Amino acid sequence: MYNKFFYFRPMTKLYYTLSDIQTAIQQGETSVVALVEAYLDNIKTFGHLNAFNEVFADEALLLAQDVDLKIQQGTAGRLAGMVIAIKDNICYKGHQVTASSKILEGFTSIFSSTVVERLLAEDVIIIGRCNCDEFAMGGSNETSYLGPVKNFADETRVSGGSSGGSAVAVQAGMCHAALGTDTGGSVRQPAAFCGVIGLKPTYGRVSRYGLIAYASSFDQAGPITKSIEDAALLLEIISGADERDATVADLPVPAYSDDLNFTGKKRIAYISEALSSNGVDVQQKDLLNAYIERLRQEGHVVEPVSFDLMDYVVPTYYILTTAEASSNLARYDGVHYGYRSPNATDLESTYKRSRSEGFGKEVKRRIMLGTFVLSAGYYDAYYAKAQKIRRMIRDRTNDILNQYDFILIPTSPTPAFEIGEQIKDPVVRYLADIFTVQASLAGIPAISLPLGNNTEGLPLALQLLTKSFAESDLLKFSKYILELSKN
Ligand code: GLN
């Protein structure tokens, strides 16, 4: 199943799961230092893909020595041997974090996010921070102040976004796994474009403390991996209550990685609009059809359902997220942190010039849109109405999930498109989020699974959605589908 984009340079043996790595270390076949060296080698070789905003090379090598020692002494954490990259909107104490924006250039985190703290406590090594769309606003990594990320499967194409650097870093073997954030698809869609797995947890499963906020009622951090085993393990470690984020559910975290065996027969709904729409690529539709058939042959019930609110998901998402973003990004004012315009002469010009010069075009567009939909005369017509429609989308989605175990839809209408192809038309770009924002509006978990390539060698993917906090079933079924795809 995995073809050209999983070829690595011959001297670099890379492993499929963390447990493969840990076995290889136990058998003396490799070491954490050797692995870090191999990733650094790939980061150098594929530097032109622009996946990293910064590589913590020396630090990663030093930490690798520590972890090797801990492994020998039997005191290592559960993630010993795992080298990850983090999206550059996740705070890591003492390291820069920029959200790929000029306005945060040179800013250093003064604390670590909860997700980073929990991963480090299990001896993960963070090898660098990855490029992304500016403030995670985009789906192609082209809004980054630091330039687009190129797809390793075809360098003329986008990585997807906004966690584009994180997805390419995993795709091209520059790290073992990565952490992205997903507001409306930013973990799932780049994973789909790059032939890797991307999981968005239930809203409230994972702490948002220390993530640079885009739209707080949507944002969730999630893993980008090559295997379900690693996605399950990472989710298990980052999930769970956190006194610093009141939106995290106080529910026990299942040991997702302990049992990934799927048994039984499931009921699966696919959204009929996804197959009838002209906007969906033919090979993407063929893939969906093939899996519908395949799952039926295996004895599952797979039925079409109509999701009559499909036309509303993108507008509702963009009204609500721009509203939240306009409020969240008010803090970048040239005074508190980040870029301050050298041309400012007084307080007002400090605000105006710093924000005008520090933010990119897309971020400014969204702040203006969000300010508009929240303004006194339009609040009821846009923001309040969008909240009501969000509720309808959530209820309707949950109705489907009361009758079916999973919803099966594409992750994206198309595979990775050409760099520059969509950037000029925001409406075209926003519409491309049609299949990922439903789960985000409903707050439910969703996963993108790599299921082969199209005739041009570009990765294709499908997405599975399920009920809130049913990640365990989602992971088991995902593993089963990936196994089906191999035979
Ligand atoms: N493409 C979507 C947007 O631009 C999703 C971004 C995200 O999930 N951070 O808002």
Side-chain angles (χ1 to χ4, degrees):
M1 171 184 64
Y2 295 115
N3 42 26
K4 78 173 186 193
F5 47 92
F6 277 130
Y7 286 164
F8 301 106
R9 298 197 317 149
M11 70 271 268
T12 313
K13 174 162 181 200
L14 293 172
Y15 301 87
Y16 187 59
T17 65
L18 176 63
S19 101
D20 293 344
I21 290 177
Q22 290 175 339
T23 309
I25 293 175
Q26 293 303 339
Q27 291 172 348
E29 190 184 295
T30 189
S31 67
V32 188
V33 168
L35 284 166
V36 169
E37 282 169 349
Y39 298 127
L40 290 173
D41 201 22
N42 279 345
I43 290 174
K44 211 162 158 192
T45 311
F46 303 123
H48 62 285
L49 300 178
N50 203 21
F52 280 84
N53 288 348
E54 189 186 355
V55 182
F56 311 138
D58 296 342
E59 185 190 333
L61 282 167
L62 280 175
L63 287 172
Q65 287 177 15
D66 282 355
V67 180
D68 274 328
L69 201 66
K70 283 189 185 175
I71 293 174
Q72 278 166 26
Q73 293 167 341
T75 57
R78 296 173 73 196
L79 295 178
M82 188 183 285
V83 178
I84 65 161
I86 55 174
K87 184 177 182 179
D88 194 12
N89 64 350
I90 302 175
C91 293
Y92 180 10
K93 189 176 176 176
H95 298 76
Q96 284 188 34
V97 61
T98 72
S100 293
S101 179
K102 178 176 172 181
I103 213 157
L104 276 176
E105 210 173 13
F107 178 78
T108 300
S109 296
I110 53 171
F111 56 82
S112 283
S113 51
T114 298
V115 286
V116 159
E117 266 183 5
R118 288 184 180 173
L119 294 171
L120 291 174
E122 294 293 349
D123 287 327
V124 93
I125 290 173
I126 300 176
I127 201 164
R129 55 186 171 94
C130 282
N131 202 344
C132 57
D133 280 295
E134 186 178 357
F135 282 99
M137 296 177 186
S140 64
N141 219 114
E142 293 170 289
T143 72
S144 167
Y145 173 59
L146 297 146
V149 177
K150 294 175 180 165
N151 196 308
F152 186 44
D154 176 347
E155 294 178 10
T156 67
R157 303 206 174 233
V158 300
S159 54
S162 61
S163 315
S166 302
V168 169
V170 178
Q171 178 192 27
M174 304 184 204
C175 54
H176 183 70
L179 214 53
T181 63
D182 191 311
T183 304
S186 280
V187 161
R188 291 163 283 158
Q189 184 258 27
F193 282 10
C194 295
V196 293
I197 297 164
L199 170 67
K200 181 197 90 76
T202 310
Y203 184 79
R205 180 74 291 187
V206 177
S207 171
R208 290 178 295 108
Y209 178 78
L211 308 187
I212 293 185
Y214 161 13
S216 307
S217 78
F218 293 77
D219 300 342
Q220 279 290 284
I224 297 177
T225 60
K226 285 182 285 191
S227 71
I228 292 293
E229 288 82 346
D230 290 339
L233 184 61
L234 286 169
L235 180 68
E236 193 175 316
I237 288 167
I238 62 176
S239 291
D242 178 13
E243 62 182 15
R244 295 170 297 187
D245 175 3
T247 62
V248 186
D250 198 5
L251 292 171
V253 179
Y256 300 115
S257 62
D258 275 7
D259 177 15
L260 288 167
N261 290 324
F262 171 77
T263 51
K265 302 292 171 208
K266 292 289 180 194
R267 292 175 52 78
I268 300 139
Y270 65 91
I271 309 266
S272 38
E273 284 83 353
L275 278 177
S276 55
S277 161
N278 289 334
V280 182
D281 172 80
V282 177
Q283 293 188 55
Q284 182 64 63
K285 279 186 195 169
D286 290 348
L287 183 80
L288 187 58
N289 274 321
Y291 275 87
I292 291 169
E293 265 324 297
R294 187 69 206 272
L295 289 166
R296 280 183 182 144
Q297 279 165 18
E298 299 293 324
H300 305 285
V301 174
V302 191
E303 292 175 347
V305 295
S306 171
F307 187 67
D308 46 5
L309 296 170
M310 205 60 161
D311 286 348
Y312 301 99
V313 296
V314 170
T316 306
Y317 169 82
Y318 276 93
I319 289 170
L320 296 176
T321 53
T322 56
E324 293 187 27
S326 72
S327 160
N328 272 328
L329 272 61
R331 72 191 72 176
Y332 307 103
D333 55 7
V335 177
H336 290 92
Y337 24 49
Y339 176 78
R340 178 177 301 171
S341 171
N343 309 315
T345 50
D346 57 7
L347 184 63
E348 195 172 322
S349 71
T350 303
Y351 291 156
K352 278 191 181 160
R353 286 182 183 269
S354 304
R355 286 169 69 80
S356 302
E357 293 161 20
F359 287 132
K361 212 170 159 183
E362 181 62 22
V363 174
K364 282 189 257 192
R365 177 184 289 122
R366 295 195 190 199
I367 292 173
M368 287 192 284
L369 253 170
T371 307
F372 173 75
V373 301
L374 287 174
S375 59
Y378 294 98
Y379 185 93
D380 286 339
Y382 291 102
Y383 184 73
K385 196 170 208 170
Q387 289 285 31
K388 289 179 191 158
I389 300 174
R390 181 179 195 180
R391 167 62 74 102
M392 288 168 70
I393 291 167
R394 196 188 74 188
D395 289 351
R396 175 81 186 105
T397 304
N398 284 334
D399 282 349
I400 300 173
L401 288 169
N402 285 332
Q403 293 168 50
Y404 297 91
D405 299 296
F406 303 106
I407 295 173
L408 180 67
I409 41 172
T411 308
S412 162
T414 66
F417 44 85
E418 298 277 337
I419 293 175
E421 191 182 316
Q422 291 191 356
I423 192 71
K424 288 202 183 66
D425 190 340
V427 177
V428 171
R429 278 192 278 130
Y430 299 170
L431 282 171
D433 296 330
I434 184 148
F435 297 131
T436 44
V437 296
Q438 182 183 356
S440 309
L441 285 157
I444 57 174
I447 192 165
S448 179
L449 301 173
L451 291 172
N453 292 334
N454 71 6
T455 47
E456 292 169 272
L458 298 173
L460 289 172
L462 288 178
Q463 191 189 185
L464 278 176
L465 282 51
T466 195
K467 293 181 191 66
S468 287
F469 299 102
E471 279 88 351
S472 187
D473 290 343
L474 185 66
L475 289 160
K476 284 180 193 174
F477 198 64
S478 297
K479 183 161 186 263
Y480 165 79
I481 291 199
L482 285 172
E483 272 156 19
L484 273 188
S485 76
K486 289 181 194 154
N487 43 58

